[in-house]
Amino acid sequence: MSDYEQADSSGWAPNPAVIAAEEAVIGSIIQSRTAAETATETLRSEHFFRPAHQLVFETVAGLVESGKDVNAVAVLGELTTAGTITLAAGATIQQTI
């Protein structure tokens, strides 16, 4: 991706700091159940600009809700089982594993 993302349907495009913040949140929630629980109490997937980040967030939220372990391997497994791993290809999870 370039330093600036493509604009969304409303015309808004994030600067690199917004994407870096998303990556930091995603990286945190796939490594810590406490971080995942806290994030899922306050955030929703639509708070993320990148679709891959939205997908990973939704996957983590599902793990939290079902009481399953939250870690990079579990998230990768859920994405693979759901057949959505290729949609999350650019997400931080693959960089973490």
Side-chain angles (χ1 to χ4, degrees), residues 37-89:
E37 290 171 347
T38 300
T40 57
E41 289 173 2
T42 57
L43 297 174
R44 294 187 314 268
S45 63
E46 54 268 14
H47 288 139
F48 294 87
F49 182 80
R50 282 193 175 164
H53 294 163
Q54 294 173 351
L55 181 59
V56 172
F57 183 84
E58 290 167 2
T59 302
V60 169
L63 290 169
V64 168
E65 187 174 316
S66 66
K68 295 181 181 176
D69 287 340
V70 178
N71 57 57
V73 174
V75 174
L76 183 60
E78 290 290 316
L79 291 167
T80 301
T81 300
T84 56
I85 189 64
T86 56
L87 299 175

Side-chain angles (χ1 to χ4, degrees), residues 2-53:
S2 67
D3 285 346
Y4 288 91
E5 301 284 321
Q6 296 285 2
D8 67 10
S9 61
S10 70
W12 182 83
N15 66 39
V18 171
I19 300 303
E22 286 188 10
E23 290 171 347
V25 170
I26 294 297
S28 296
I29 66 174
I30 64 173
Q31 295 182 48
S32 164
R33 180 170 188 85
T34 302
E37 290 171 347
T38 300
T40 57
E41 289 173 2
T42 57
L43 297 174
R44 294 187 314 268
S45 63
E46 54 268 14
H47 288 139
F48 294 87
F49 182 80
R50 282 193 175 164
H53 294 163

